[in-house]
Amino acid sequence: MEWEIVMGLEVHTELATKTKIFCGCSTEFGAGCNEHVCEICSGMPGTLPKLNEKVLEYAIRTGLATNCEITRHNKFDRKNYFYPDLPKAYQISQLYFPICHDGHLTVKDKDGNDKQIGIHEIHMEEDAGKLIHDDFEECTLVDYNRCGVPLLEIVSEPDFRSAEEVISYLEQLRGILQFTGVSDCKMQEGSLRADVNLSVRPKGQKEFGTRTEMKNLNSFHAIQRAIAYEAERQIELLEDGEKVTQETRRWDDNKGISYAMRSKEDAQDYKYFPEPDLPPLEISEETIERIQNEMPELPAQKKARYINVLGLPEYDTEVLTSDRSYVKLFEETVALGADAKVASNWIMGEVMKLLKDTATLPEDMTLSAKDLAKILEMVGKNTINRGTGKTVLEKVFKEGVDPEAYVKENNLAQITDLSALRPVIEEVIANNEKSVNEYKGGKTQAMGYIMGQAMRALKGKAPAQEVQKLLKEMLDEN
C-alpha cells in the first residue's frame, strides 16, 4: 500500500522586544536563573498585566508579511493548565479572536514546483518558564526568566505532504521574521521552534488519519529526522493492524527516536475563557496602514531586486537572503563600491567558509563591510592577488586587523614595476634548462611548470598574466 503523510505546523517565535509582553522585565537571553522576574510574570496575586504595544505591532507586521487578514477586534483568553514552569497555572493567549488569520506562503515541493501553504491563524501569547532537570542531584529546577516573553504562534493548515515542503516553509518564514525585525530566530536559543502535527493515510483517501504532535523541534535537521521517523513509525503500526494513538511526543535527536509524553489535549481540556484583566483591542485602519507603509523589504523583494537590478543569478540571491547578516554585509559592501557579483562570490565562498571553520554564527561575525570592500578593491586593482586576498581576509576575520596596514606591514603588495620581473624570470629560465628545452621542442605543457617556478620565485607578488606574457616573450626570444 502507498501511504501519504499529512502535516500541519505550529511555529512559536519569540519576539525581539526589549521587555516582556505584560510587564517591564527584560527579555535578554543568557541572564542568570530567575534574574528577569517580577511579581507580574511570576503570577503574584493582585497583579495586573499591561500589553506591550510593540508586541501588537510585530504581530500585525507578521500578518501582513504572510498575506493574512488582520482581526480588527481582538481580545485575549486564559489557557488553564498546571505545570511547574507556569507559576500562574494559566497562560494568556488568544483562542477565539486571533490577531491574524487566513494567510498563506508559497513554497517549493519536493519536485521544485510552487505550492501554497495556508496559514490558519497567528496569535499572541506569553511564553512559559524552563525546567532544568539535574540528574546529578536527582531534582528538577525552574528558571522563570522566560515566563512572559512575548510569543507569536503561527498555525498552518494541514497542507504539508513532505519534509521538503516543511523546510521550505520554515526557511521562508524565518526570513520574513528576521527581515521584518520581528524575531532574531535563533533556534539554538529557542527563539524559533516548531511543533509538527503528523498523520498518515492511504494515498487517495480523503479522511485524515490519527495525528501525533512532536513538540519543540529547534533545528531543521531535527525536524527532517523527526518527520521521517514518525511517519515510518505510524505506517508500521497501521500495516501491523494496530492503531495510532493521538498523543504528544518528544523527539530525542541524539537517539533518533520519538517517545510519548502525554495524551494529546484539545481546546476543551484547557478550559479557555476570556482574560478578565485585559480589555479588548480595537485596531484601526490607520494603524494597519502605518505598519504596512513602514514594512522593510522582504526576502522575496530583495531576491527580485538583486536579479533585476544587480544582475545576480537566482542561486546567489537564495544564499544571500538566507540570513539577514549576509544581506547586511553584501549590501553595505556593494554600497562602498564593490561589484555585486564579486562581493557575492566572496561572501558565499570565503566568508561562509571562515564562518564554518570557526563555528561562528553569521550574526556574531565581526567582519565589517568596510574591510571586505577594501580587500576586494585591492584584489581588483592587482595591489594583491586573490590568494593573498584570502589570507588577508582570514586575518581580518579572526584578528580584526586593518587590511591595508596588514598588507603594507607584511610586504604583500604585488610588484607593479614590470622591469623588476625580468631579472627574476631570467634566473628561473637559467635554472630550469630541461623544461625550457622541452618547451622549445614543442612540449607546451612545460610552460606550466616554468610558470609555476617563476611565480614561486616572485613569491606570488606579481600579476600572473603579466608574468606569463613576459615569460613567453623571453622564451621565444632565445
Side-chain angles (χ1 to χ4, degrees):
M1 181 182 293
E2 191 174 357
W3 296 89
E4 181 178 54
I5 305 172
V6 178
M7 290 175 287
L9 295 187
E10 298 169 15
V11 176
H12 293 83
T13 185
E14 290 184 351
L15 303 186
T17 57
K18 293 182 179 180
T19 56
K20 295 184 180 182
I21 186 169
F22 298 123
C23 68
C25 289
S26 172
T27 58
E28 183 182 4
F29 181 82
C33 291
N34 297 306
E35 285 188 3
H36 297 160
V37 183
C38 72
E39 61 275 12
I40 295 175
C41 54
S42 62
M44 294 296 167
T47 57
L48 289 173
K50 182 180 179 182
L51 178 63
N52 183 339
E53 189 175 355
K54 204 70 178 175
V55 174
L56 183 66
E57 180 179 328
Y58 283 175
I60 296 172
R61 196 181 294 184
T62 304
L64 293 173
T66 53
N67 307 295
C68 285
E69 296 291 327
I70 308 301
T71 305
R72 271 54 172 181
H73 177 79
N74 277 259
K75 63 175 188 163
F76 286 93
D77 305 290
R78 282 194 185 182
K79 180 181 182 181
N80 298 277
Y81 64 98
F82 175 77
Y83 210 61
D85 60 4
L86 195 69
K88 293 186 292 192
Y90 65 86
Q91 178 189 37
I92 299 178
S93 181
Q94 291 185 300
L95 176 67
Y96 302 106
F97 294 93
I99 188 164
C100 313
H101 61 93
D102 295 319
H104 68 271
L105 290 178
T106 301
V107 305
K108 296 291 184 184
D109 64 18
K110 61 182 179 181
D111 297 320
N113 301 315
D114 286 345
K115 177 179 178 179
Q116 187 167 294
I117 302 294
I119 294 176
H120 180 72
E121 68 176 60
I122 300 174
H123 60 258
M124 301 176 284
E125 63 184 19
E126 57 183 338
D127 209 345
K130 183 177 181 181
L131 296 178
I132 301 167
H133 304 291
D134 189 331
D135 293 331
F136 183 75
E137 295 288 343
E138 295 185 345
C139 66
T140 295
L141 307 173
V142 188
D143 181 4
Y144 289 130
N145 280 346
R146 205 170 64 184
C147 276
V149 169
L151 288 178
L152 290 183
E153 182 172 348
I154 303 165
V155 183
S156 81
E157 300 289 355
D159 292 338
F160 299 99
R161 299 295 179 266
S162 70
E164 289 84 359
E165 293 173 7
V166 168
I167 299 304
S168 177
Y169 172 87
L170 289 172
E171 287 176 339
Q172 189 176 163
L173 188 58
R174 180 179 64 178
I176 288 171
L177 294 169
Q178 281 188 334
F179 283 85
T180 54
V182 167
S183 174
D184 59 27
C185 294
K186 294 180 180 179
M187 298 186 81
Q188 72 279 6
E189 294 181 5
S191 295
L192 185 71
R193 49 195 193 264
D195 301 343
V196 178
N197 291 282
L198 185 150
S199 65
V200 297
R201 64 184 177 186
K203 194 143 190 172
Q205 177 178 302
K206 292 184 178 181
E207 296 78 16
F208 291 158
T210 302
R211 65 188 171 94
T212 61
E213 180 182 31
M214 290 179 287
K215 297 286 287 184
N216 293 332
L217 297 165
N218 60 2
S219 79
F220 291 168
H221 179 67
I223 289 168
Q224 286 179 304
R225 294 182 71 205
I227 288 171
Y229 175 88
E230 181 60 16
E232 185 177 353
R233 187 188 73 86
Q234 291 190 21
I235 290 169
E236 286 181 357
L237 283 173
L238 294 171
E239 289 184 341
D240 289 343
E242 300 181 44
K243 292 183 178 180
V244 175
T245 302
Q246 182 174 322
E247 61 189 1
T248 299
R249 301 180 67 85
R250 186 172 294 282
W251 172 251
D252 187 324
D253 203 41
N254 292 323
K255 296 180 180 178
I257 62 171
S258 68
Y259 57 91
M261 289 173 59
R262 58 180 181 266
S263 60
K264 181 75 178 87
E265 301 92 342
D266 290 314
Q268 61 265 27
D269 296 317
Y270 292 112
K271 300 180 177 65
Y272 281 96
F273 64 84
E275 170 55 50
D277 292 335
L278 286 167
L281 286 168
E282 296 292 339
I283 301 174
S284 67
E285 297 298 329
E286 291 76 18
T287 297
I288 295 172
E289 186 176 348
R290 174 183 62 79
I291 294 173
Q292 179 73 74
N293 291 337
E294 294 173 354
M295 286 278 281
E297 192 177 39
L298 297 176
Q301 296 167 322
K302 284 189 181 293
K303 290 176 189 178
R305 178 166 61 85
Y306 291 172
I307 292 171
N308 298 326
V309 178
L310 299 180
L312 291 185
E314 185 176 352
Y315 174 78
D316 292 34
T317 69
E318 292 286 345
V319 176
L320 291 174
T321 59
S322 65
D323 194 281
R324 188 171 51 179
S325 300
Y326 299 146
V327 166
K328 183 175 184 293
L329 180 62
F330 170 72
E331 292 189 352
E332 290 180 359
T333 302
V334 172
L336 290 168
D339 177 80
K341 180 56 180 168
V342 171
S344 174
N345 287 346
W346 277 74
I347 292 171
M348 293 192 303
E350 301 311 313
V351 173
M352 291 188 183
K353 181 179 183 299
L354 286 166
L355 288 168
K356 181 179 179 181
D357 291 346
T358 59
T360 303
L361 295 171
E363 61 265 25
D364 296 331
M365 174 172 52
T366 58
L367 174 68
S368 71
K370 179 182 176 183
D371 286 343
L372 179 58
K374 180 53 66 177
I375 293 169
L376 300 188
E377 181 186 0
M378 289 191 288
V379 172
K381 290 182 176 179
N382 281 326
T383 304
I384 57 175
N385 62 33
R386 185 177 175 85
T388 302
K390 292 179 182 180
T391 301
V392 175
L393 177 64
E394 184 173 357
K395 276 288 181 182
V396 174
F397 186 94
K398 293 181 178 179
E399 301 176 23
V401 301
D402 178 86
E404 283 188 302
Y406 182 78
V407 167
K408 185 175 181 180
E409 290 166 5
N410 291 274
N411 194 26
L412 297 175
Q414 292 203 106
I415 300 169
T416 55
D417 181 6
L418 299 183
S419 64
L421 301 179
R422 183 170 284 274
V424 178
I425 295 175
E426 285 176 347
E427 186 176 351
V428 169
I429 291 173
N431 292 337
N432 292 275
E433 185 176 350
K434 179 183 177 183
S435 296
V436 170
N437 290 334
E438 288 176 350
Y439 171 75
K440 291 184 175 181
K443 194 174 181 180
T444 55
Q445 299 97 316
M447 171 61 85
Y449 177 79
I450 303 169
M451 178 67 181
Q453 295 301 306
M455 292 302 294
R456 185 175 300 169
L458 291 162
K459 298 179 180 178
K461 290 165 57 178
Q465 191 173 357
E466 296 297 333
V467 173
Q468 187 174 30
K469 180 181 177 183
L470 184 57
L471 178 59
K472 192 173 187 309
E473 288 176 359
M474 293 173 68
L475 286 171
D476 292 341
E477 283 173 2
N478 300 328

